[in-house]
Amino acid sequence: MTRSATAEKQGSNNGILASVIIPNYQGADCILDCIRSVLIAGRRDVELVVVDNASPDKSADIVQVNYPSVKLIRLASNVGYGEACNIGARGSIGTYLVFLNNDTIAVGEWLRELIAPLVDRRNGATCSKVTFPGSPETVDSCGGVSDIYGFAWNKGKGEVDVGQYDSFRDCFYAVGSSLAVRRDVFEAVGGFDKELFMYVEDVDLSWRIRLLGFNVIYVPKSRIVHRSGITRMKTSDIQYLFNRNRLRMILKNYSVRTLVSILPRYLVLQMGLLIWVISRLRGDELRTVLAAWLWNARHLRDTMRSRRVVQAKRRVKDDHVMVHMINKPAGILFLLRMIRN
């Protein structure tokens, strides 16, 4: 019996349909609100797993004292978002795995709506409509968008919600603030790429799910509120991780034929970004770009090893995936607009 089958059997025996996994780091100001919102529905077929990334703010102690029934996994060091999710998945028994940011608040029938489409075995992953606290009419994400160069962003971010995103639809990637995936699919793709540590790990996971031929679905009736920015990072660190992880992702996930076409254009775009950074006389931004390139050079052997695994599992051609992407460098244009504003 495979591990997936074993987990599903265990989940059935214990009456657990879904495992809600919350990776936590420095979440003392938000984790209790998140847990409370998940538990308020009082569903007995759901287990809640908190994976604490060695938070120095005693988040784990806060969870243990206030919610002793919650399954708490304490890690000895900060292994990053993706690996914390992987550890939580291995320590859970639900048929469906739901990954939820610690700075979110679940609304109403969030979970029921989120996992409902996964009954259709053509669907591999789903995500919620996400709005901002105190401004429920302002969108944080309605599924994820990416161009063919791996520049990804949240659909509808910052827009006023007037119902334009109320239809159930396909999206390129399931945004990780509230993401559900069938356990068998998660295990088939190998879970999150732990080397990414943080940022675009949801894009990468969804991309690999699509390479197996599954759909990725945005579910507007599943709603959460995202208190984005509570667990803060330096802007330079965020830029570094985005640049670093984006290149690893496209090196792993595209076929050789597509890489031959995409990679030269990607490098031209990166050179343009480098020139733009230099022209702004921003040494910190320049260091992040160069550090991202250097990291990929040092980890190229591991990236190629991961690439072989991804390519061996793929069931569809790149055209099947790229039809859901934007065929121009839209991500850079989107980023520049945000910077100007």
Side-chain angles (χ1 to χ4, degrees), residues 130 132 137-145 153-161 164-165 169 334:
V130 186
F132 289 106
E137 71 282 358
T138 305
V139 172
D140 182 38
S141 72
C142 293
V145 184
W153 66 96
N154 294 351
K155 180 77 171 178
K157 188 174 183 67
E159 294 183 24
V160 175
D161 184 7
Q164 70 272 39
Y165 298 116
R169 62 175 174 80
F334 178 80

Side-chain angles (χ1 to χ4, degrees), residues 26-58:
Q26 296 280 64
D29 294 336
C30 58
I31 187 67
L32 293 185
D33 289 337
C34 181
I35 292 173
R36 187 179 303 113
S37 72
V38 174
L39 295 178
I40 199 167
R43 293 186 57 150
R44 296 183 179 179
D45 58 354
V46 174
E47 70 167 344
L48 186 52
V49 182
V50 174
V51 184
D52 185 70
N53 261 324
S55 297
D57 67 351
K58 306 298 182 181

Side-chain angles (χ1 to χ4, degrees), residues 37-96:
S37 72
V38 174
L39 295 178
I40 199 167
R43 293 186 57 150
R44 296 183 179 179
D45 58 354
V46 174
E47 70 167 344
L48 186 52
V49 182
V50 174
V51 184
D52 185 70
N53 261 324
S55 297
D57 67 351
K58 306 298 182 181
S59 297
D61 293 338
I62 292 172
V63 172
Q64 188 171 45
V65 169
N66 289 274
Y67 291 101
S69 63
V70 169
K71 184 181 292 185
L72 175 63
I73 300 175
R74 296 174 182 257
L75 303 182
S77 62
N78 184 359
V79 298
Y81 174 88
E83 183 63 358
C85 288
N86 291 338
I87 292 169
R90 291 194 293 268
S92 68
I93 59 175
T95 302
Y96 303 113

Side-chain angles (χ1 to χ4, degrees), residues 180-198:
V181 59
R182 297 206 324 262
R183 180 183 291 277
D184 61 323
V185 174
F186 187 77
E187 293 180 351
V189 299
F192 288 100
D193 181 350
K194 67 179 182 179
E195 295 301 327
L196 298 181
F197 191 79
M198 190 172 183

Side-chain angles (χ1 to χ4, degrees), residues 15 104 129 139 157 269 333:
T104 60
K129 174 185 280 190
V139 172
K157 188 174 183 67
L269 290 170
L333 299 177

